[in-house]
Amino acid sequence: VPAGPPAPQLPLLERQAERERLVGLLARGRSVRLTGQAGSGRTALLDAVAADCAGLAPDGVVRLNGHRRTATDLLYGLFDAVHHAPLHRPAPEELLALVRSIGAVVVIDDLEIGGAALDELLEATPECAFLLGTAPDLPAPGIDAHLEEVLLAGLGRAASLELLAKVVERPLTEEEKNWAGDLWFESEGLPLRFVQAGSLLRQRDRLNTDPTAFDEYDYFEPRPDDVPPVSEAPTPETLDVPLPSLGEGAAPAVLLASRLSEAARETLRFTVALGGEVPHQAHLPALVGDTHADAALGELAHCGLLSPAGPRYRLAAGVLAQLEAGGYADEAAAHALTAAQHYAWWVSHPSVTPQRAVAEADAIVAAMGRLVPDGEAGRASAAVLLARSAAPALAAGLSWGAWEKALRVGQEAARIAGEVAEEAYFHHELGVLALCTGNLDRARTELETSISMRGALADKSGAVAGRRALALVADRSGGLVPPVRSQPGDEVPVVRQELPSGTPPAAYPAPQFLARQPGEEAPTVVAPVPGAAPGKHGGRAILGGARRNLAAAGA
């Protein structure tokens, strides 16, 4: 819930028939695909249906968000919602066996997968009834999926005017009704447009009451003593603010933002730089430089500029393009760099748990992804630092989808920045990730690349770690460990020790000496060293290097 005063609770208008139909289909165990344009009120309808279906299934109702999530991510999210298994991520075969027995009503908003991927999700959970909120352009699943289709249209004119009056919290004037009628025809009755239009009218009412309502001293900044009082500044003729034009009502983001606080506008600049991902309100004071910047999230949400995306917020439909056209992306690279530096410090702090890092994963990945295509010096290095800092936390939080994104962006950023050691690290981690997910061929390729790069850098410990991981890949694949030629400097030092006189220990057979002819050179004898200390892996470190091994084999 954003900080600040609570927003008015808006009613669900003209959705009773769709609501009853959806509940009836889910009660019979049918899965439904709710299709509607962005801003048509899908999320509000899904909230109402989820509340109505609370007691239908034995495992209850599971709410998931499909924004930038694959079918595998959704299956793991379903598993985490039903099963209590902290610090455990089941293998793919175990996951399919566990989710197959789940019986729940699964509500997924903002679903971005379709076609074969959606078929895979539905086939893996035969005991679940799905309610999927999708956009119209998403590919439909196969015929065998047996999904019911429900289309969500816009509101009628009367319902749109009623919603507008609820947002403004007063009756509409005749002029406002005519303006809203034109807006209804232009926007095809999308509820989001009328929430934003109501915010414009609320701002207009406040300006008509107090023309200095949105000046630089508003909100939390006290007005200096030398500033004239509000009653002395305006005249009655300046209090009549006209209605917004039809174009401003259809695309109101820039006008709405211009009447918000500076902290809210700066938050929008960071959000545009992150591709529409809104940082959590706890990060806004550090990013914006204002101790009260966390209240900006409430301002933006109440104006209809934000829409919920699971436990977080992102820009509402169409707002990103409007703000970019209004100049909010002029310094996007600088804002992304600031966000990347902040997140690199934050995610490395000892007090930040992996779960908190996972909750902010979308903004973290967006920050480093924005810096990679930028050719300016230092920005790719900042993306490398953020990826290096965030990847272990995302891995520990079991968000392996975000972990893979961070590793791939970090590897590309390291290549651009020319940081070969960091690039080798990301190749190694990608190999470990592929090993964890069972993609052994990919793991072998990534690890061999990492070993070769670390060998060129004379990174002895890193090359040893890569060869150990490569040996584990060979063990998992069921084959013998491929022989790895020892690199210069990796040989185990030979401990030269004089053999004691007398009979060798009973554990080692005595070497057999042949009679030597006069003038013949004494043969080279390679014998075990009694009492040699165990090696690093439990063996005895006697000989090291390829030439000594050949000498021993010859003897």
Side-chain angles (χ1 to χ4, degrees):
V1 177
Q9 296 296 321
L10 302 178
L12 194 63
L13 302 175
E14 285 191 356
R15 301 300 188 205
Q16 190 61 29
E18 291 87 349
R19 181 176 179 176
E20 294 176 355
R21 183 184 177 189
L22 292 174
V23 174
L25 290 172
L26 294 172
R28 296 198 299 268
R30 304 296 298 272
S31 294
V32 190
R33 186 170 180 249
L34 180 64
T35 303
Q37 298 182 33
S40 59
R42 288 196 318 256
T43 301
L45 181 57
L46 292 179
D47 290 341
V49 174
D52 295 339
C53 298
L56 290 182
D59 289 322
V61 178
V62 176
R63 296 294 305 271
L64 300 175
N65 189 266
H67 179 57
R68 296 184 178 177
R69 298 294 184 269
T70 63
T72 302
D73 296 335
L74 294 174
L75 285 176
Y76 277 105
L78 178 61
F79 166 78
D80 292 336
V82 176
H83 293 278
H84 179 67
L87 300 180
H88 175 61
R89 181 181 174 93
E93 296 79 8
E94 183 185 0
L95 174 67
L96 293 177
L98 290 171
V99 300
R100 184 169 291 274
S101 61
I102 294 177
V105 175
V106 184
V107 181
I108 305 179
D109 195 10
D110 297 323
L111 185 68
E112 296 183 356
I113 61 172
L118 184 54
D119 290 335
E120 176 186 349
L121 175 64
L122 298 176
E123 184 180 356
T125 53
E127 300 298 325
C128 293
F130 284 86
L131 176 57
L132 310 172
T134 65
D137 55 350
L138 200 67
I143 301 176
D144 297 335
H146 303 293
L147 268 181
E148 298 285 343
E149 290 280 349
V150 175
L151 299 177
L152 194 62
L155 300 177
R157 178 167 180 168
S160 300
L161 295 179
E162 182 180 354
L163 177 62
L164 184 62
K166 293 288 185 181
V167 175
V168 183
E169 297 183 289
R170 61 169 177 80
L172 300 177
T173 65
E174 193 65 31
E175 183 184 9
E176 291 171 342
K177 289 180 180 179
N178 295 332
W179 175 76
D182 296 337
L183 180 62
W184 172 82
F185 183 81
E186 176 70 23
S187 64
E188 300 179 355
L190 293 180
L192 176 63
R193 295 291 177 263
F194 287 89
V195 173
Q196 296 171 345
S199 301
L200 285 177
L201 295 183
R202 273 208 318 269
Q203 291 179 344
R204 175 174 176 262
D205 291 345
R206 188 173 178 184
L207 283 172
N208 284 332
T209 304
D210 182 6
T212 63
F214 301 104
D215 66 3
E216 57 178 333
Y217 304 110
D218 191 22
Y219 296 97
F220 301 101
E221 295 188 22
R223 187 179 298 273
D225 296 335
D226 55 349
V227 176
V230 176
S231 58
E232 300 177 6
T235 59
E237 290 77 17
T238 62
L239 297 180
D240 188 14
V241 179
L243 278 173
S245 65
L246 184 58
E248 292 173 338
V254 177
L255 181 58
L256 281 171
S258 66
R259 296 172 177 175
L260 298 178
S261 65
E262 180 58 32
R265 290 194 293 271
E266 191 68 14
T267 301
L268 286 178
R269 294 185 181 96
F270 277 101
T271 303
V272 171
L274 299 182
E277 298 294 336
V278 183
H280 190 272
Q281 58 187 4
H283 297 278
L284 294 180
L287 290 173
V288 175
D290 185 351
T291 56
H292 300 286
D294 55 342
L297 192 67
E299 291 185 64
L300 299 173
H302 297 168
C303 289
L305 297 179
L306 304 182
S307 61
R312 303 177 64 251
Y313 284 91
R314 59 187 175 91
L315 287 181
V319 173
L320 179 60
Q322 297 173 31
L323 293 177
E324 288 177 343
Y328 280 78
D330 293 345
E331 300 180 359
H335 285 86
L337 178 61
T338 302
Q341 293 171 341
H342 166 76
Y343 280 125
W345 165 83
W346 173 78
V347 78
S348 303
H349 198 275
S351 64
V352 178
T353 62
Q355 289 71 26
R356 292 180 63 191
V358 168
E360 202 69 11
D362 289 339
I364 291 174
V365 174
M368 67 178 76
R370 176 63 180 80
L371 297 177
V372 169
D374 200 318
E376 189 168 338
R379 289 178 178 171
S381 298
V384 171
L385 177 61
L386 177 55
R388 185 72 186 264
S389 304
L394 298 177
L398 301 183
S399 179
W400 287 4
W403 181 25
E404 181 178 6
K405 294 177 184 177
L407 292 177
R408 295 199 180 280
V409 175
Q411 184 266 327
E412 179 65 16
R415 184 191 64 80
I416 295 174
E419 301 182 15
V420 183
E422 299 296 339
E423 188 178 358
Y425 165 81
F426 289 119
H427 278 296
H428 179 90
E429 290 296 296
L430 286 170
V432 173
L433 173 61
L435 175 62
C436 293
T437 56
N439 191 348
L440 301 182
D441 293 336
R442 184 67 182 177
R444 186 177 295 107
T445 302
E446 295 286 355
L447 290 172
E448 288 175 350
T449 304
S450 174
I451 291 171
S452 64
M453 297 177 72
R454 283 172 164 170
L457 293 170
D459 184 1
K460 183 176 176 180
S461 60
V464 171
R467 288 198 291 273
R468 288 175 180 171
L470 194 60
L472 183 57
V473 172
D475 182 64
R476 289 284 301 274
S477 59
L480 296 176
V481 179
V484 181
R485 185 173 181 177
S486 58
Q487 300 293 329
D490 290 349
E491 295 89 351
V492 181
V494 178
V495 180
R496 298 190 178 275
Q497 183 175 350
E498 295 294 334
L499 293 178
S501 60
T503 308
Y508 300 96
Q512 300 297 323
F513 295 94
L514 302 177
R516 177 163 53 96
Q517 299 298 328
E520 184 179 355
E521 186 179 356
T524 301
V525 179
V526 182
V529 180
K536 188 175 181 179
H537 298 288
R540 294 180 179 274
I542 302 172
L543 299 172
R547 299 182 65 181
R548 294 189 181 90
N549 290 339
L550 289 175

